[in-house]
């Protein structure tokens, strides 16, 4: 049977420090149970030793350590630093620099001195560079000024469609400019354009404009016109600086545009289940290049290019022939131009860019005008309201050669004032092209 160790006598209460009598089991002041006070641990005093390992003179005789020289000092221990070390790759570790002055006994100086303060980790610059994004405010309807616009772009209050990025576009590039507008009847803009300027290998300037009109009866006509205009523009900007003849460059640009539109028809199986009766994406194209005194026109479909001289006493001209039912009737001598274009089938096109088009036949033509003027490159959304060359010349401002952007805006306004039944896109290209800074804009 085990027994409790006998408690040592206490002179004061360990709880309130009041004096207690020997044999008291409870403190008279605070009632603390003196029987639960643990026994004092056995005392092991700490002895002081000198550097030789000898105890302080207290009469205690310490044995001499083995392997000493008789003075009581042990032989030098074999330190880990006495052996060559290697890192995980097998390379020798760098030797530690010795500390200045003789080291004290039992002190190691083979580690570098630690700094008084540890540096904090530098903040991630990517996190610091990204400002906090505030929550996006709900878009308010431009019509009723009260309703919230849903993800489809319609007002939840009045149902009004909100303006899209392509509803109205304006762009300048060097000496040329273009404007495109949705019109007053269509729910979206299915036209697209590209304008650009570059330099030929001899340093002379070159300018270009490409206008495309999406075929509304096809699927995704807006994507077709955008893909075609971008592909044709990129092809021209790449070919002309290499010295490719402008007419050959125009032909290649139309082929590149056709390939870009064809690629839109490469849909996964079953993607057209909801629109089985729609044709592949399609569009028309017309482009103009002005370089080295040469005017090159290329087209497929019924988008047009017109020549309007600065001197309005000189004749204007239409530079393209439509790929349309009406044009075929006139060319075959079956109808007069007035009769053909009065027919409801007049604007049915016979040539276009798209996977379901007939054999691609790009039309190109070169001209060398003998006087300055402008080239109007447009979709039928404009020429429906200025069909003949004379009507187009009347609509073009007199200062079009020096104010192309203003002139493009005026021509779009002319179509909207006439009814705006279709998308309207027009580019104004001055001829000849002057180097930058050589003329006013």
């Amino acid at each position: 049977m085990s027994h409790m160790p006998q408690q040592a006598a206490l002179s004061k209460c360990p709880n309130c420090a009041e004096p207690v009598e020997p044999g008291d089991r409870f403190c008279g002041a605070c009632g603390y149970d003196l029987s639960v006070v643990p026994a004092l641990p056995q005392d092991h005093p700490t002895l002081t030793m000198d550097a030789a390992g000898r105890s302080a003179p207290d009469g205690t005789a310490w044995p001499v350590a083995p392997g000493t020289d008789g003075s009581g000092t042990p032989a030098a221990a074999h330190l880990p630093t006495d052996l060559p070390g290697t890192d995980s790759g097998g390379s020798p570790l760098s030797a530690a620099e010795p500390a200045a002055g003789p080291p004290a006994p039992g002190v190691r100086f083979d580690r570098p001195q630690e700094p008084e303060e540890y540096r904090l980790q530098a903040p991630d610059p990517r996190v610091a560079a990204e400002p906090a994004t505030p929550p996006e405010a709900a878009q308010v309807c431009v019509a009723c000024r009260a309703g919230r616009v849903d993800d489809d772009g319609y007002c939840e209050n009045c149902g009004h469609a909100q303006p899209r990025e392509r509803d109205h576009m304006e762009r300048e590039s060097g000496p040329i400019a273009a404007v495109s507008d949705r019109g007053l009847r269509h729910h979206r803009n299915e036209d697209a354009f590209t304008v650009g300027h570059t330099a030929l290998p001899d340093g002379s300037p070159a300018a270009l404009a490409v206008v495309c009109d999406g075929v509304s009866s096809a699927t995704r006509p807006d994507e077709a016109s955008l893909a075609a205009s971008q592909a044709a523009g990129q092809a021209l900007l790449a070919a002309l600086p290499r010295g490719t003849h402008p007419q050959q460059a125009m032909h290649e640009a139309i082929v590149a545009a056709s390939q870009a539109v064809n690629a839109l028809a490469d849909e996964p199986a079953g993607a057209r289940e909801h629109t089985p009766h729609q044709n592949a994406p399609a569009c028309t194209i017309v482009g103009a290049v002005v370089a080295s005194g040469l005017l090159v026109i290329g087209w497929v479909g019924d988008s047009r290019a017109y020549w309007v001289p600065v001197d309005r006493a000189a004749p204007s001209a239409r530079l393209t022939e439509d790929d349309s039912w009406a044009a075929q009737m006139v060319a075959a001598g079956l109808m007069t131009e007035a009769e053909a274009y009065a027919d409801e089938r007049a604007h049915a096109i016979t040539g276009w860019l798209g996977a379901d088009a007939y054999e691609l036949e790009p039309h190109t033509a070169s001209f060398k005008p003998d006087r300055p003027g402008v080239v109007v490159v447009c979709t039928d959304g404009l020429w429906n309201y200025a069909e003949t060359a004379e009507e187009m010349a009347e609509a073009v401002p007199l200062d079009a050669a020096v104010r192309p952007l203003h002139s493009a805006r005026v021509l779009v306004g002319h179509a909207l004032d006439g009814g705006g039944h279709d998308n309207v896109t027009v580019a104004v290209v001055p001829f000849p092209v002057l180097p930058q800074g050589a003329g006013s804009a």
Side-chain angles (χ1 to χ4, degrees), residues 307-323:
W307 164 254
V308 179
V310 172
D311 181 7
R312 298 304 168 85
S316 301
R318 198 178 93 192
L319 306 178
T320 58
E321 291 292 338
D322 298 343
D323 289 322

Side-chain angles (χ1 to χ4, degrees), residues 47 78 158 162 169 232 268 380 398 419 434:
L47 303 177
H78 188 76
C158 66
Q162 304 303 296
M169 300 179 292
D380 60 348
L398 296 175
L434 298 177

Side-chain angles (χ1 to χ4, degrees), residues 85-134:
T86 59
D87 59 14
S88 59
S91 304
L93 297 174
S94 58
E97 297 182 359
V107 180
R108 294 283 299 274
F109 289 97
D110 56 341
R111 288 189 299 174
Q113 184 177 3
E114 296 181 352
E116 295 182 359
E117 296 182 359
Y118 288 91
R119 293 184 179 181
L120 297 177
Q121 183 179 3
D124 190 340
R126 297 170 296 180
V127 177
E130 296 177 358
T133 304

Side-chain angles (χ1 to χ4, degrees), residues 66-67 193 206 228 265 316 351 360 375 392 395:
F193 67 84
S316 301
L360 177 65
V375 183
M392 185 63 71

Side-chain angles (χ1 to χ4, degrees), residues 157-168:
N157 180 46
C158 66
H160 187 65
Q162 304 303 296
R164 299 177 176 87
E165 180 182 0
R166 290 177 62 177
D167 282 357
H168 186 86

Side-chain angles (χ1 to χ4, degrees), residues 37-439:
V37 178
L40 296 176
Q42 185 178 359
D43 187 27
H44 297 281
T46 302
L47 303 177
T48 59
M49 301 183 66
D50 60 13
R54 295 186 295 268
S55 62
D58 56 356
T60 304
W62 293 90
V64 178
T68 64
D69 54 2
S71 63
T73 302
H78 188 76
L79 301 177
T81 54
D82 295 338
L83 298 177
T86 59
D87 59 14
S88 59
S91 304
L93 297 174
S94 58
E97 297 182 359
V107 180
R108 294 283 299 274
F109 289 97
D110 56 341
R111 288 189 299 174
Q113 184 177 3
E114 296 181 352
E116 295 182 359
E117 296 182 359
Y118 288 91
R119 293 184 179 181
L120 297 177
Q121 183 179 3
D124 190 340
R126 297 170 296 180
V127 177
E130 296 177 358
T133 304
E136 185 177 355
Q139 184 179 353
V140 180
C141 175
V142 299
C144 67
R145 301 290 182 181
R148 176 183 173 275
V149 179
D150 60 20
D151 295 337
D152 294 329
Y154 291 88
C155 176
E156 295 179 345
N157 180 46
C158 66
H160 187 65
Q162 304 303 296
R164 299 177 176 87
E165 180 182 0
R166 290 177 62 177
D167 282 357
H168 186 86
M169 300 179 292
E170 298 184 359
R171 192 166 304 155
E172 288 183 290
S173 180
I176 61 178
V179 176
S180 181
D181 193 90
R182 177 172 59 94
L184 305 178
R185 302 295 182 89
H186 282 232
H187 71 284
R188 64 180 175 186
N189 190 358
E190 297 171 356
D191 290 355
F193 67 84
T194 293
V195 292
H197 67 285
T198 184
L200 301 181
D202 61 0
S204 60
L208 61 97
V210 177
V211 170
C212 296
D213 184 357
V215 178
S216 297
S217 60
T219 182
R220 300 176 3 238
D222 53 332
E223 296 181 28
S225 63
L226 182 62
S229 62
Q230 291 180 342
Q234 293 170 0
L236 289 170
L237 289 173
L240 293 173
R242 293 198 303 260
T244 305
H245 190 279
Q247 191 165 359
Q248 177 64 29
M250 178 62 73
H251 179 91
E252 295 174 355
I254 295 177
V255 172
S258 176
Q259 294 172 348
V261 178
N262 292 348
L264 296 178
D266 296 337
E267 301 173 340
R272 295 177 61 186
E273 291 180 357
H274 300 290
T275 56
H277 304 295
Q278 282 191 309
N279 299 322
C283 68
T284 66
I285 185 171
V286 61
V289 171
V290 176
S292 298
L294 193 66
L295 169 59
V296 174
I297 304 296
W299 74 97
V300 173
D302 63 349
S303 293
R304 294 180 177 180
Y306 291 82
W307 164 254
V308 179
V310 172
D311 181 7
R312 298 304 168 85
S316 301
R318 198 178 93 192
L319 306 178
T320 58
E321 291 292 338
D322 298 343
D323 289 322
S324 66
W325 179 89
Q328 285 189 347
M329 294 298 102
V330 174
L334 301 177
M335 288 183 175
T336 65
E337 187 170 352
E339 293 173 341
Y341 282 98
D343 193 283
E344 62 181 6
R345 297 166 290 180
H347 292 281
I349 58 176
T350 58
W352 62 88
L353 305 183
D356 57 357
Y358 301 113
E359 183 178 357
L360 177 65
E361 296 181 2
H363 310 294
T364 60
S366 296
F367 305 90
K368 285 190 176 182
D370 59 355
R371 64 196 67 205
V374 295
V375 183
V376 178
V377 185
C378 63
T379 62
D380 60 348
L382 172 60
W383 66 254
N384 277 334
Y385 303 98
E387 188 169 334
T388 67
E390 293 74 21
E391 291 173 337
M392 185 63 71
E394 291 178 3
V396 174
L398 296 175
D399 58 353
V402 294
R403 300 180 65 192
L405 179 58
H406 167 75
S407 300
R409 291 169 176 166
V410 169
L411 291 172
V412 169
H414 176 77
L416 297 179
D417 292 341
H421 288 74
D422 200 353
N423 306 144
V424 188
T425 301
V426 55
V428 177
V429 185
F431 179 93
V433 177
L434 298 177
Q436 290 297 292

